Amino acid sequence: MEKYECAPCGYIYDPEVGDPDGGIAPGTSFEDIPDDWVCPVCGVGKEDFYPVQE
């Protein structure tokens, strides 16, 4: 599963970790996160994230 980076703040969403504080369980792919989820650091929506090239 791909990691995604928040363009404004640089937060990396790692599907292996999820976002437990935001209600996203580990193992949840970015595509499966609800559309109303926001970056836990700066509060922007999913549309401001882009795939990280590893």
Side-chain angles (χ1 to χ4, degrees):
M1 284 187 281
E2 273 189 306
K3 296 178 182 178
Y4 279 74
E5 183 172 347
C6 178
C9 76
Y11 168 79
I12 302 288
Y13 174 77
D14 183 346
E16 292 183 14
V17 177
D19 176 21
D21 293 339
I24 308 299
T28 303
S29 70
F30 189 78
E31 292 80 9
D32 292 337
I33 296 173
D35 289 336
D36 61 352
W37 178 81
V38 295
C39 176
V41 175
C42 71
V44 300
K46 286 178 65 177
E47 66 277 359
D48 289 321
F49 279 74
Y50 60 90
V52 174
Q53 303 300 320
E54 294 188 44

